C-alpha cells in the first residue's frame, strides 16, 4: 500500500465545511483511496472511497486530484458528532493498514 | 450499528492466562479481520480469514491464534498473556469483492493485570 501523509490535527467550526487533506504521492494505478473515521474508542467507520473520480455519499465528498497524488475529504456541514480521528488509506487488494490519521475537533 | 458483534466487551485477566475473543460478522460477509489497537501502536492488522481459510497475516504474535468456523463466526485466542497485550481488539467483516470496505465491531477491551 502507498504511504499516506495527513496533518496530525485540525479544528473546524460547527456548521462549516471540514476539509481534510491527504497526500499519497506514491499511489499506484490500482490503489483506491479510502477514508475511515474513529470516534473516541469505537470501531472505525467506513466513510467513502474512490479511484480517480470525485465521489459523494450521504456522509462526505471525496475530491481526488487529477494526478492522484493527493485527495481531500469534505464534510459539508460539520457537527460536534463529527469530532473523531480520520484515516486516509491508499490500498490495493490487501488488508487495510491504518496510519495515525488526523484528529478533527469540531468546535461549537 | 455495524452488524458486527464482538463479545465480551470487557475482559480483565492476569498475566500468563489465556482468553478467547469472539466475533460474529455481518450476515453474508465471508471475510473476517482482527485488529489490535493500543495507545502506542495505533491500529494494527493481525489476521484475515475468508470463508474459513486464513487469507492474510499481519503483525500477529505466535502466542495469538485465530480461526473462522463454518458458521463464519471467528475467535481470536490470546495465550501466555503479558501486560503489553492490554489493548482494544477489533473485529471487522467485509462482503465478497469489497475487501477494503470494512465494517467494524465495537471491540473487546482487554486488560492484563
Amino acid at each position: 500500500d502507498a504511504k499516506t501523509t495527513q496533518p496530525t490535527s485540525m479544528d473546524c467550526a460547527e456548521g462549516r465545511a471540514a476539509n481534510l487533506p491527504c497526500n499519497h504521492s506514491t499511489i499506484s494505478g490500482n490503489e483506491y483511496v479510502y477514508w475511515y473515521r474513529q470516534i473516541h474508542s469505537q470501531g472505525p467507520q467506513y466513510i467513502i472511497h474512490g479511484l480517480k473520480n470525485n465521489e459523494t455519499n450521504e456522509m462526505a465528498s471525496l475530491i481526488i486530484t487529477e494526478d492522484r497524488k493527493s485527495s481531500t475529504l469534505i464534510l459539508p456541514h460539520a457537527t460536534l458528532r463529527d469530532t473523531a480521528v480520520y484515516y486516509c488509506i491508499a490500498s490495493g487488494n490487501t488488508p487495510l493498514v491504518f496510519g495515525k490519521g488526523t484528529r478533527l475537533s469540531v468546535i461549537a | 450499528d455495524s452488524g458486527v458483534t464482538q463479545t465480551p466487551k470487557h475482559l480483565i485477566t492476569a498475566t500468563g492466562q489465556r482468553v478467547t475473543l469472539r466475533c460474529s460478522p455481518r450476515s453474508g460477509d465471508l471475510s473476517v479481520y482482527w485488529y489490535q489497537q493500543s495507545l502506542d501502536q495505533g491500529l494494527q492488522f493481525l489476521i484475515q480469514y475468508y470463508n474459513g481459510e486464513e487469507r492474510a497475516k499481519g503483525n500477529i504474535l505466535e502466542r495469538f491464534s485465530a480461526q473462522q468456523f463454518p458458521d463464519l463466526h471467528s475467535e481470536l485466542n490470546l495465550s501466555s498473556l503479558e501486560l503489553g497485550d492490554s489493548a482494544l481488539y477489533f473485529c471487522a467483516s467485509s462482503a465478497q469483492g469489497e475487501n477494503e470496505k470494512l465494517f467494524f465491531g465495537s471491540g473487546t477491551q482487554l486488560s492484563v493485570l
Side-chain angles (χ1 to χ4, degrees):
Chain A
D1 294 349
K3 177 178 162 57
T4 60
T5 304
Q6 299 178 253
T8 302
S9 64
M10 293 180 62
D11 291 339
C12 177
E14 189 178 20
R16 304 297 291 268
N19 297 283
L20 292 92
C22 179
N23 180 287
H24 33 78
S25 58
T26 61
I27 195 170
S28 61
N30 66 340
E31 288 182 322
Y32 284 74
V33 178
Y34 286 82
W35 283 85
Y36 281 75
R37 73 180 182 183
Q38 186 174 24
I39 297 172
H40 193 43
S41 295
Q42 298 177 22
Q45 178 188 24
Y46 165 84
I47 300 173
I48 199 167
H49 75 282
L51 184 63
K52 54 185 177 181
N53 297 322
N54 297 337
E55 302 287 345
T56 295
N57 63 20
E58 65 280 2
M59 289 184 68
S61 295
L62 174 60
I63 308 298
I64 304 174
T65 58
E66 193 169 341
D67 62 8
R68 303 210 324 124
K69 293 185 177 182
S70 66
S71 61
T72 301
L73 178 75
I74 301 172
L75 308 178
H77 305 287
T79 71
L80 298 178
R81 288 179 295 181
D82 292 321
T83 292
V85 177
Y86 287 77
Y87 299 98
C88 168
I89 305 165
S91 176
N93 189 27
T94 57
L96 297 180
V97 175
F98 289 77
K100 296 191 182 299
T102 295
R103 182 172 298 277
L104 175 69
S105 298
V106 180
I107 303 166
Chain B
D1 182 9
S2 67
V4 177
T5 304
Q6 288 188 248
T7 57
K9 291 193 183 305
H10 303 277
L11 197 50
I12 301 173
T13 188
T15 55
Q17 295 299 304
R18 171 190 169 94
V19 297
T20 297
L21 311 184
R22 182 187 170 97
C23 170
S24 294
R26 290 188 321 157
S27 177
D29 284 358
L30 300 179
S31 280
V32 169
Y33 308 75
W34 286 97
Y35 283 82
Q36 178 194 55
Q37 186 170 36
S38 57
L39 286 175
D40 56 344
Q41 293 292 323
L43 262 168
Q44 299 286 312
F45 167 69
L46 295 179
I47 198 164
Q48 176 199 358
Y49 278 82
Y50 176 81
N51 203 20
E53 299 290 326
E54 182 182 304
R55 175 62 65 90
K57 188 177 277 193
N59 302 320
I60 187 166
L61 300 172
E62 286 191 12
R63 300 183 285 108
F64 296 0
S65 65
Q67 55 184 329
Q68 186 179 26
F69 295 86
D71 67 353
L72 300 177
H73 91 272
S74 177
E75 291 181 357
L76 179 67
N77 299 296
L78 315 176
S79 61
S80 302
L81 285 168
E82 302 174 359
L83 296 177
D85 297 328
S86 295
L88 257 174
Y89 291 83
F90 289 107
C91 168
S93 71
S94 66
Q96 188 172 5
E98 296 187 332
N99 292 336
E100 287 80 27
K101 189 173 179 180
L102 305 183
F103 293 85
F104 283 79
S106 56
T108 293
Q109 178 68 61
L110 174 66
S111 299
V112 182
L113 306 178

